[in-house]
Amino acid sequence: MPASLLPVAGAAARGGRALEWSGNPDIVAMDFKQAMRRLAAAVSIIATQDDGARFGMVATAVTSVSAEPPAILVCINRNGSIFAPLMRRQQFTVNVLMERHQPLIPAFAGQRPGEDRFAHGEWGEAHALPFLRDSQTTLFCRVDAQLAYGSHQIIIGRVESIMLAEPIAPLLWQDGRVMTASPLAG
């Protein structure tokens, strides 16, 4: 059982799992990382171009915000190499990866520097932004809003253009490794 949560007396007798707050921030931080390993997320590459150079990073902290207007949320570490160029350019792509893109993850997770990352995968350029030609989908976005929180910048991107591919075969990240999705029977 996580150290930050302690069983409440009698919970088992009631047939449930009641827990109480420990209040220790160090323990909560440790358990938070373990809790997030249980959260499955699509793997994407966030990319931008600034002053002729391309920048990219792997991301799982990506989610839709609204359909009207079409908007997406991405979280970017302010110490990451993509952060300053993205803030200058105010435009980026979200390239949602397919199962076959697993080999791209190490390069865009920091094992390759800057422009060397783009030697991996089939990259093109549209709207003066890099995009992965065979991604599940690519969203071309303009920064519409942002908020600093902890070590990251929460960025709302207004979606201005979209490219879609078939079949739907997203690459997922869960428990520190890649996974694939499959429909449940029934």
Side-chain angles (χ1 to χ4, degrees):
M1 174 172 306
S4 61
L5 299 173
L6 305 172
V8 175
R14 292 190 302 272
R17 188 176 116 172
L19 302 169
E20 66 183 47
W21 189 272
S22 78
N24 183 326
D26 293 331
I27 293 173
V28 171
M30 179 180 62
D31 286 347
F32 177 76
K33 291 177 183 177
Q34 290 302 310
M36 292 301 96
R37 291 178 70 94
R38 289 150 174 80
L39 181 65
V43 182
S44 299
I45 294 176
I46 310 301
T48 194
Q49 186 166 310
D50 182 51
D51 200 23
R54 296 179 293 182
F55 301 86
M57 63 168 262
V58 172
T60 56
V62 176
T63 192
S64 67
V65 173
S66 68
E68 284 296 324
I72 194 152
L73 176 149
V74 298
C75 297
I76 298 179
N77 188 314
R78 287 190 298 279
N79 291 323
S81 62
I82 193 174
F83 179 70
L86 194 151
M87 291 295 95
R88 283 191 300 270
R89 177 69 192 274
Q90 295 286 296
Q91 291 180 292
F92 61 97
T93 59
V94 176
N95 302 273
V96 180
L97 302 186
M98 297 176 81
E99 294 171 4
R100 67 176 172 260
H101 295 124
Q102 181 178 349
L104 299 178
I105 293 174
F108 284 88
Q111 288 186 6
R112 304 301 257 178
E115 188 70 29
D116 289 355
R117 296 174 183 182
F118 292 90
H120 304 272
E122 296 180 35
W123 291 90
E125 186 177 306
H127 311 290
L129 289 168
F131 74 96
L132 187 60
R133 292 183 188 277
D134 62 344
S135 68
Q136 183 74 75
T137 188
T138 297
L139 306 172
F140 294 83
C141 305
R142 179 175 305 279
V143 174
D144 197 39
Q146 56 184 301
L147 170 71
Y149 193 88
S151 58
H152 284 64
Q153 197 77 3
I154 301 166
I155 298 169
I156 306 294
R158 175 80 62 102
V159 179
E160 296 182 327
S161 183
I162 299 172
M163 298 175 91
L164 297 169
E166 295 293 338
I168 298 173
L171 185 63
L172 303 177
W173 187 263
Q174 183 182 21
D175 196 23
R177 62 181 180 224
V178 291
M179 313 281 260
T180 58
S182 60
L184 296 174

